[in-house]
Amino acid sequence: MTAKRKMQAKGAQVIGAMKEVVGRATHNRKLEAEGKAEKSAGHGLDAAEKTKDAIRKPWQH
C-alpha cells in the first residue's frame, strides 16, 4: 500500500467519523449521513489497497 493512499484512507475514516459524531450531536441527519458515507469510503479504499498488496506480494522478491 502506498503511503499516500494509506493516508487518504485513514483521513477519510477520521473525518467521516468526526462528521458523524458532530451530526449526531447537533441532530443534523445530513451531516451524520455524510460522515457515515465518507467513513465507509475510507474503509473501502483501505480494503482495496490491502487487496492489491496481497495480490502483488507473491510476485515480489
Side-chain angles (χ1 to χ4, degrees):
M1 182 182 296
T2 64
K4 182 179 177 182
R5 298 284 285 185
K6 185 175 182 179
M7 292 296 287
Q8 286 175 339
K10 295 299 178 190
Q13 291 171 11
V14 170
I15 291 170
M18 288 176 16
K19 284 182 180 180
E20 186 177 357
V21 169
V22 170
R24 195 175 306 134
T26 60
H27 302 289
N28 184 339
R29 291 182 184 174
K30 183 179 178 186
L31 185 61
E32 185 178 355
E34 186 179 314
K36 284 181 182 181
E38 195 166 344
K39 188 167 69 169
S40 294
H43 285 295
L45 181 61
D46 194 31
E49 288 299 312
K50 286 181 181 179
T51 302
K52 286 180 189 177
D53 285 346
I55 292 170
R56 288 182 193 146
K57 199 168 202 164
W59 288 281
Q60 292 178 345
H61 295 280

